[in-house]
Amino acid sequence: MILPDAAATESFGARLAAVVRPGDVITLSGPLGAGKTSIARGLLGALGLEEEAPSPTFAIVQPYAPPETRLPVMHVDLYRIEHVEELDELGLDEAREDSVLLIEWPERAPDRWPDALALTLDFAPDGGRRLTATVPTAWEGRWPLT
C-alpha cells in the first residue's frame, strides 16, 4: 500500500482504530522518519485522544485509557531498549489483556509478538511511504482495511 503523505499515514492509523480491540498487538517497523508515530497518532486521535500524541521515545511506554481514549492503548517505543530482558519490567504482557499494544521498533524484541499485525513502513521514491503488512489469523475479517 502506498501512503502518499503524512495526512494519508495518519488517516491509515484512524482506519486501524475502527477495527482494533483489547488484546491486539500492532507493531510498527521502519527507519527513522518513516511514519510510525504518524500511524500511532492517527489511531489514537480516532480513539478520542484530543491532543497530539507525543512519541514515546524517551518515556518508552505512553499509556492511554478511557475517558481519554475509547479503549486502553499502550504506545511503546523500543528504540532505546538495549536488552530484551528490559521488556519484562514494562508490564506489557499484563497490559495486553485489556489494552491495545502499539509497538514501535519491535525488532529490538524479535519474536516477542508473533501474533501481531506487523506493519512495515519504508520511503517510496516519490516521497510517500510504502506500507507492507504481515497479517495474523486474528486479523482475518478485519484486514484489509476499508
Side-chain angles (χ1 to χ4, degrees), residues 86-121:
E86 294 175 60
L87 292 177
D88 296 332
E89 299 171 19
L90 301 177
L92 299 178
D93 293 331
E94 296 82 15
R96 181 180 181 180
E97 294 174 17
D98 65 354
S99 301
V100 173
L101 298 184
L102 189 58
I103 302 171
E104 297 186 37
W105 298 99
E107 53 276 9
R108 303 282 187 178
D111 305 317
R112 181 81 177 221
W113 298 281
D115 59 341
L117 173 63
L119 303 177
T120 302
L121 290 154

Side-chain angles (χ1 to χ4, degrees), residues 52-70:
E52 183 174 88
S55 173
T57 299
F58 294 103
I60 299 177
V61 177
Q62 183 65 48
Y64 299 94
E68 187 176 36
T69 53
R70 178 174 52 83

Side-chain angles (χ1 to χ4, degrees), residues 2 13 53 63 71 73-74 87 137 143:
I2 297 296
L71 51 94
V73 177
M74 301 289 279
L87 292 177
T137 304
W143 191 270

